[in-house]
Amino acid sequence: MATGPAKARGRVHAQRAANSTAVSAAARAGFVARGVIYVLIGILSLRIALSDGGGKQADRGGAIAEIAEKPFGTVLLWLLGTALAGMAVWRLSEAAFGQAGPDGRKASKRAMAAGRFVFYGFVSYSVLSYAAGDKGSGSGSSDRDSQDVTAKALDWPGGQWIVAVAGIAVAAAGIWIAARAIMQKFHKHLKMFEMSEKARKVIDFLGMFGGAARGIVFAVAGVFAVAAAVQHQPGKAKGMDDTLRSFTETPAGPWLLVLIAAGLAAFGVFSWANARWRKV
């Protein structure tokens, strides 16, 4: 029986497909799309800091709605959703065959890639559904969604503990994201040797500043989830929009949100740099 060799050949062919030019292009398109979303969230956050934001949400839903209002907005959304689907496919290939680098095949790395595949698959689906005419998909309030999920979870047996643990996990993830950005851990994922000295300096700044701002937003959202669990009040949970707005309530006033908004936009530009220099 040649079942063993046939299976081995099948795995080799599948891995070659995962490392193909098409998957690489899909990943790079996904980074471009992610950058667009974060740049728009940064701009929407800046509007909130400097005025009332015009009723727009500073989250993924707000970014989608902003694109939809532009000329050829529906076409742009189709392109954005398709690019995000490409990101999902790339993450799936990483989960199946491992990431680039010496430790890319570790179980933890592949599990994280699988989680990212699910996330980007969902985001892509919501954007494409919106482009297809389902205006309730993708543009919903992240704050309302967070509160609805929290309310349901709090009604479960041990719900307070579940929400508290989830909030702690999100806060810890935010701290981890910010710390890794500040330590420039992104270097190992980028083709630094292909960059000029000036480009390296710019990308280091964007990666550190943008990653730190993104991590802080996650960490603060996690703290709000813990508060919702401790006080048994779903309304204390906040999505990205309300989390960003909470920065205006600090002693620094709107200027802290201005800084965070600039950081989120910087992360968007950093994503575009990933589209050019990421090892995929």
Side-chain angles (χ1 to χ4, degrees):
M1 297 290 290
T3 304
K7 287 184 177 179
R9 285 195 299 271
R11 284 194 297 268
V12 170
H13 290 316
Q15 190 161 6
R16 284 177 179 171
N19 295 330
S20 69
T21 302
V23 172
S24 175
R28 298 189 192 285
F31 279 113
V32 172
R34 188 181 74 173
V36 169
I37 290 174
Y38 270 96
V39 167
L40 287 175
I41 291 174
I43 292 171
L44 292 169
S45 300
L46 188 61
R47 289 181 188 173
I48 290 170
L50 301 179
S51 61
D52 62 357
K56 298 292 182 65
Q57 300 164 203
D59 54 17
R60 187 175 66 248
I64 292 172
E66 187 77 5
I67 294 171
E69 293 175 359
K70 298 295 184 281
F72 306 105
T74 300
V75 174
L76 293 174
L77 287 176
W78 279 109
L79 292 173
L80 186 73
T82 303
L84 290 168
M87 175 73 89
V89 170
W90 173 56
R91 292 302 190 184
L92 178 60
S93 73
E94 286 190 327
F97 305 108
Q99 302 178 13
D103 61 345
R105 294 182 63 82
K106 290 173 59 176
S108 59
K109 298 280 188 182
R110 294 170 75 165
M112 289 176 64
R116 287 166 176 158
F117 158 67
V118 173
F119 172 76
Y120 283 109
F122 170 77
V123 176
S124 171
Y125 172 79
S126 65
V127 173
L128 291 173
S129 296
Y130 190 98
D134 182 3
K135 303 307 180 184
S137 178
S139 63
S141 168
S142 61
D143 306 313
R144 185 177 61 251
D145 291 344
S146 296
Q147 291 167 10
D148 289 346
V149 170
T150 303
K152 290 178 181 177
L154 287 174
D155 287 338
W156 297 341
Q160 278 185 282
W161 285 104
I162 294 172
V163 173
V165 170
I168 291 170
V170 172
I175 294 170
W176 180 76
I177 289 169
R180 286 178 62 83
I182 292 169
M183 292 187 292
Q184 300 180 351
K185 292 292 186 180
F186 51 81
H187 276 189
K188 65 181 181 180
H189 297 300
L190 299 176
K191 300 174 183 176
M192 303 298 294
F193 59 89
E194 292 187 0
M195 304 177 193
S196 66
E197 183 178 354
K198 183 177 181 180
R200 282 196 296 271
K201 289 180 179 179
V202 171
I203 289 169
D204 278 348
F205 171 76
L206 293 171
M208 293 171 67
F209 180 35
R214 180 173 175 248
I216 288 169
V217 173
F218 273 85
V220 173
V223 171
F224 283 128
V226 173
V230 171
Q231 300 177 35
H232 207 284
Q233 295 182 22
K236 293 290 183 180
K238 298 182 186 294
M240 177 174 276
D241 180 61
D242 270 354
T243 298
L244 289 167
R245 291 174 188 272
S246 71
F247 289 111
T248 63
E249 300 168 4
T250 65
W255 298 110
L256 179 56
L257 180 54
V258 169
L259 184 64
I260 295 294
L264 294 176
F267 183 78
V269 178
F270 177 70
S271 292
W272 293 338
N274 273 257
R276 168 63 178 82
W277 285 292
R278 180 83 177 205
K279 298 174 184 176
V280 296

